[in-house]
Amino acid sequence: MMNFPQKHTAADTTIFSVMSALAAQHSAINLSQGFPDFPIDAELAAYLGEAARGPFNQYAPMQGLPMLRQAVVTDFSNRYGIAIDAEQEVTITPGATYGIFAAFTSILVPGDEVILFEPAYDSYIPNIQMNGAIPVPIALVAPSFAVDWDKVRDAITPKTKAIILNTPHNPTGAIWSATDWDTLADITRDTDIIILSDEVYEQIIFDGQKHFSVLEHEELRQRSFALFFFGKVFNNTGWKMGYCIAPPAFTKAFRKIHQFLCFTVNTPAQYALAHHISSGRATPVGPLMEQKRNYFLSLLADTPFTIFNPARGSYFQLVGYDKISDLPDMEFARWLTKEYGVATIPVSAFYHNKKDDKLIRFCFAKKEETLKNAVDQLMRLNR
């Protein structure tokens, strides 16, 4: 029998695939995986067709179509007032998960340590381990899921190569403040620690709050990869289109990996995104998702779930189920899917040690009809 090397300690199949498959098996409403169930903007779809009918069906340049990289630069100038070099600092990627792996691969060698904050997106630890490096998880402080900066200081060693963070945060919906960024700068000053800033939900932030990007912090920007995903902005997660913004030396190292992983990214999709961004007519995703969050929270208020904090950003709302069951969260999520027809994600899946705080994650990036039908099912928990 052939033996294959164990490259990481994560499960063979991600929790997202497991719960989506369970939802399909039991004809449950899928509020587990983070994807919308409504159409993309008609104009964006039209641009994709236009590209496919035109001369945009062959390989794009390795770093991405110039028109898309320039659209990203113009967009960041308009929204953040920051200058970015499209040629030397922007690389188009097949999704942000890919970008995170490529960034790690460009900097890590065996024995390096990487600090991450849990609960964490489930690709971080496998990405670190596949590069022979050692993940150093630090638990965020519930229920606000703030960073305990004393723990970060204590975790840094001479082997610390990088710190990866995510804001707005999946799965908790927490966001970083300007003070968080300043504290990170203080801690990493006079070190060679590199920052990976996962900002895929940067345009999905609520209640008049501001997203603070690492790119706005001039000191940290010089030591950072910033990773983004068009799919969360334009409701087209299946296109798997993202980008990395980093200083020229970092971008050069990133592209040395990128060119031998996928080399280039879907050309028609790049054309469509470039034109849609530049049109200025794209539906703003932030207000759309805030309305969906508010609607979902209003529905959940009549269920026995506990809402500790409304999500401050992202697609997701955490709830507690201690008033319903004392089952472990994985068992509870399976039970809820099978018996009540609603699929969720158990938050223990986002911890390396499967820490169970009796929390589950709902995705509210759905049609109102979907959310209403799901909560109608959950109302049966009151009986």
Side-chain angles (χ1 to χ4, degrees):
M1 180 177 177
M2 184 73 72
N3 291 318
F4 294 94
Q6 186 70 29
K7 294 290 188 177
H8 58 73
T9 59
D12 291 344
T13 305
T14 73
I15 189 63
F16 310 111
S17 297
V18 168
M19 295 309 300
S20 288
L22 194 67
Q25 179 184 345
H26 293 276
S27 300
I29 298 169
N30 191 353
L31 301 189
S32 62
Q33 200 165 358
F35 59 82
D37 66 346
F38 48 86
I40 63 173
D41 283 357
E43 186 175 81
L44 177 57
Y47 282 133
L48 185 65
E50 181 177 294
R53 289 188 298 271
F56 290 93
N57 293 296
Q58 310 309 324
Y59 296 131
M62 176 268 290
Q63 60 269 48
L65 282 181
M67 69 172 73
L68 180 53
R69 287 183 284 120
Q70 187 56 54
V72 167
V73 165
T74 301
D75 178 53
F76 271 74
S77 176
N78 291 339
R79 291 192 296 114
Y80 290 102
I82 55 179
I84 299 168
D85 186 322
E87 185 59 35
Q88 298 189 73
E89 295 186 305
V90 182
T91 307
I92 306 303
T93 64
T97 301
Y98 170 100
I100 291 164
F101 178 79
F104 274 139
T105 305
S106 70
I107 62 171
L108 295 178
V109 297
D112 284 343
E113 296 177 355
V114 179
I115 293 172
L116 64 140
F117 302 103
E118 289 189 326
Y121 180 56
D122 70 344
S123 82
Y124 294 170
I125 286 179
N127 284 187
I128 294 164
Q129 292 174 330
M130 283 189 278
N131 282 287
I134 302 165
V136 181
I138 295 175
L140 297 171
V141 182
S144 66
F145 293 97
V147 177
D148 183 332
W149 288 109
D150 288 334
K151 288 186 178 179
V152 178
R153 292 183 181 91
D154 291 343
I156 292 175
T157 75
K159 293 183 178 181
T160 304
K161 175 61 70 70
I163 298 173
I164 184 168
L165 62 100
N166 174 214
T167 181
H169 186 247
N170 173 16
T172 70
I175 61 174
W176 273 37
S177 66
T179 301
D180 285 317
W181 289 112
D182 288 340
T183 305
L184 181 61
D186 290 341
I187 288 174
T188 57
R189 191 173 295 124
D190 301 321
T191 75
D192 292 326
I193 295 172
I194 294 168
I195 307 303
L196 276 70
S197 185
D198 177 353
E199 302 184 30
V200 300
Y201 296 101
E202 53 105 14
Q203 294 190 44
I204 306 176
I205 196 159
F206 309 136
D207 305 320
Q209 298 172 105
K210 171 181 166 51
H211 170 70
F212 293 95
S213 172
V214 72
L215 299 174
E216 296 177 281
H217 199 289
E218 192 57 36
E219 180 181 355
L220 288 173
R221 179 178 172 179
Q222 302 311 312
R223 63 167 76 232
S224 297
F225 294 95
L227 293 312
F228 302 89
F229 184 39
F230 295 114
K232 302 299 187 183
V233 178
F234 300 114
N235 308 307
N236 59 344
T237 60
W239 289 24
K240 288 296 288 183
M241 297 291 294
Y243 55 103
C244 173
I245 300 177
F250 284 47
T251 295
K252 183 178 180 181
F254 183 93
R255 289 176 180 174
K256 286 171 69 175
I257 302 301
H258 169 64
Q259 68 180 342
F260 294 115
L261 281 181
C262 75
F263 177 66
T264 188
V265 182
N266 186 299
T267 305
Q270 291 193 61
Y271 173 94
L273 288 164
H275 281 269
H276 197 49
I277 294 167
S278 300
S279 75
R281 294 187 293 272
T283 301
V285 70
L288 174 67
M289 291 302 165
E290 182 167 0
Q291 183 273 329
K292 292 181 181 298
R293 181 209 61 170
N294 292 346
Y295 179 67
F296 187 55
L297 287 175
S298 71
L299 296 175
L300 283 179
D302 294 325
T303 72
F305 289 107
T306 301
I307 301 166
F308 296 101
N309 292 297
R312 301 173 72 191
S314 84
Y315 275 0
F316 308 113
Q317 179 64 51
L318 294 192
V319 301
Y321 62 84
D322 56 299
K323 297 176 184 175
I324 303 168
S325 171
D326 59 2
L327 285 171
D329 65 355
M330 185 68 223
E331 291 182 31
F332 179 80
R334 290 180 181 276
W335 174 78
L336 200 67
T337 305
K338 294 175 181 178
E339 302 299 328
Y340 288 85
V342 180
T344 67
I345 297 290
V347 174
S348 66
F350 297 89
Y351 288 93
H352 74 287
N353 58 1
K354 307 305 177 191
K355 182 174 182 284
D356 186 355
D357 293 317
K358 301 293 190 290
L359 296 171
I360 55 174
R361 188 197 79 172
F362 287 111
C363 173
F364 52 76
K366 307 291 181 181
K367 293 180 290 190
E368 287 195 359
E369 175 188 358
T370 304
L371 298 175
K372 177 67 164 58
N373 289 340
V375 177
D376 282 348
Q377 299 276 71
L378 298 174
M379 286 291 288
R380 294 190 287 124
L381 290 163
N382 287 320
R383 295 174 186 169

